[in-house]
Amino acid sequence: MPLIESLRSWLALPEVEPAQDYGFFGPDSIAWKVWSYPSSLTIGFQRAVVIEELDPALVASVDATAAIYDRPRTRYDRTLRYFAMVMFADSRSTAKAADVLVKIHSKGVGTCPVTGQRYDANDPKSQLWIHLTAWHSLLIAYEKYGPGRLSAEEENRYWEECARAAELQTCDPADVPRTREGIQDYFEQMRPQLLGSEIAKKAMRHLLRADVMLPPMPPLLRPAFYIVSAFLRRGTLATMPRWMRKMAGLPTNPLLDLLIVPLLSSAFTVVSLNARLEILLLRLISPMTVAVAAPVLLRIPPVHEETMTPREAQRRYGYDIPSQAHLALREKQANRIFGSGLPPGDEGIIESQPILGNIA
């Protein structure tokens, strides 16, 4: 009986509050069209966080905190919630979250053990890599397991919206390519800088295990979820270029790459036809994200049906643009680490918990 009651509770739709506004995109945006499809916050997001680790500076920061190993589900949940807020949440909440993110990243400074170079999580180049990897990965997953390729006009709009979202990062929105060809050129330019180091391979293998992101399952359900995890892993691998998989020491099997597409495409099609199923899937992989995405999936209009740009929101709500935000704190953190040999402070992490969820 406890199991049945638990399942009933889990299957019930959450109470959904309307957002205050449409945030930075809205129902007519191409970004909403792509990001609200069930392949995006599953395969697309997993692809993004896996590929990111090939950047030596980024993986050095990730490895230094060990959060993806010590509390993988919490880290995944908080990160996915932030990305969902950028896309779906109201302008005030998201502007606040982006401001706090600069504080969180202020502690991500150090010296890369592989290259010997200093890294900084707020570095514009690092932020651009994260940003473009995410937007590109979600589009790749949408094309491979969803409705297919966008029209040329839609894709141009998608990358314009990607540049708009970059106003929430420390990178310069002007550096965001506006075409598919421009994005491809960016990744080609990044390729010589990527490195399949041992810490990168370890992180990528770990993040490909969807089961480490899932909640504890009753023994009866574990076999099914191991199968789901294996399918998601293979689906994510199938979206990655073979050169990248070889660099990371990941398996390349053209036959399995082909076989997984119709299976996952069919599953995502079924889920996309029912908002309840989409919310249940999201609740499974990221409970903190449900409150952000549910109003969009259930098509509940906001209190104020307006959109604005991040720059407009930053001016309206009194936040500095991210590249200029919290410079004193960022200098203080760097001095603690490089000057005094002390660990960084947790100001940003503490402040973020009411916004992104507890880290415990």
Side-chain angles (χ1 to χ4, degrees), residues 43-52 136-137 140 236 239-241:
I43 295 290
F45 186 73
Q46 186 178 49
R47 181 187 193 272
V49 298
V50 168
I51 288 176
E52 287 172 0
H136 183 250
S137 292
I140 291 293
T236 299
T239 66
M240 296 170 60

Side-chain angles (χ1 to χ4, degrees), residues 4-265:
I4 294 175
E5 290 300 319
S6 177
L7 286 173
R8 283 177 179 170
S9 175
W10 188 72
L11 291 171
L13 283 175
E15 293 185 9
V16 179
E17 296 288 336
Q20 287 300 303
D21 57 39
Y22 278 132
F24 308 122
F25 301 101
D28 295 329
S29 66
I30 303 303
W32 269 31
K33 177 179 178 179
V34 172
W35 285 55
S36 64
Y37 197 77
S39 62
S40 293
L41 297 183
T42 50
I43 295 290
F45 186 73
Q46 186 178 49
R47 181 187 193 272
V49 298
V50 168
I51 288 176
E52 287 172 0
E53 310 304 326
L54 288 172
D55 175 26
L58 183 143
V59 76
S61 177
V62 169
D63 191 67
T65 67
I68 65 169
Y69 306 111
D70 297 341
R71 43 183 177 85
R73 178 162 169 75
T74 302
R75 172 66 183 266
Y76 198 83
D77 200 6
R78 282 167 51 89
T79 305
L80 187 51
R81 177 179 168 88
Y82 175 77
F83 274 93
M85 288 184 72
V86 169
M87 184 54 53
F88 302 125
D90 65 275
S91 58
R92 181 188 290 272
S93 298
T94 308
K96 171 65 174 176
D99 185 73
V100 171
L101 189 65
V102 176
K103 294 183 180 181
I104 295 173
H105 285 159
S106 72
K107 66 178 295 181
V109 293
T111 302
C112 176
V114 177
T115 65
Q117 298 179 347
R118 288 190 177 186
Y119 61 83
D120 180 350
N122 275 315
D123 181 80
K125 292 181 180 179
S126 181
Q127 287 288 297
L128 183 65
W129 165 252
I130 294 170
H131 186 68
L132 292 182
T133 301
W135 279 71
H136 183 250
S137 292
L138 270 68
L139 181 59
I140 291 293
Y142 178 88
E143 291 178 339
K144 195 173 190 72
Y145 301 115
R149 188 163 176 170
L150 299 174
S151 69
E153 179 186 357
E154 287 178 324
E155 185 160 355
N156 288 338
R157 286 177 57 193
Y158 182 80
W159 294 117
E160 287 291 340
E161 290 163 357
C162 174
R164 186 189 312 167
E167 294 178 1
L168 294 162
Q169 311 300 122
T170 58
C171 54
D172 186 344
D175 291 336
V176 174
R178 302 304 204 271
T179 64
R180 177 180 289 260
E181 293 73 24
I183 292 293
Q184 291 171 340
D185 288 344
Y186 169 79
F187 284 108
E188 279 301 311
Q189 292 169 15
M190 285 296 297
R191 185 170 172 175
Q193 303 175 42
L194 304 181
L195 185 63
S197 64
E198 287 307 311
I199 58 174
K201 291 176 180 178
K202 176 184 175 183
M204 294 173 80
R205 287 194 298 266
H206 179 74
L207 291 168
L208 276 166
R209 291 181 51 206
D211 57 291
V212 304
M213 312 304 170
L214 299 178
M217 293 291 164
L220 187 64
L221 298 179
R222 285 175 191 166
F225 280 97
Y226 285 139
I227 293 173
V228 170
S229 175
F231 272 66
L232 290 175
R233 179 179 186 275
R234 173 49 59 181
T236 299
L237 282 170
T239 66
M240 296 170 60
R242 290 179 188 171
W243 68 262
M244 189 176 288
R245 285 186 266 178
K246 289 180 180 179
M247 177 183 286
L250 297 172
T252 57
N253 189 315
L255 179 60
L256 291 181
D257 288 351
L258 288 174
L259 292 176
I260 198 64
V261 175
L263 295 173
L264 285 179
S265 296

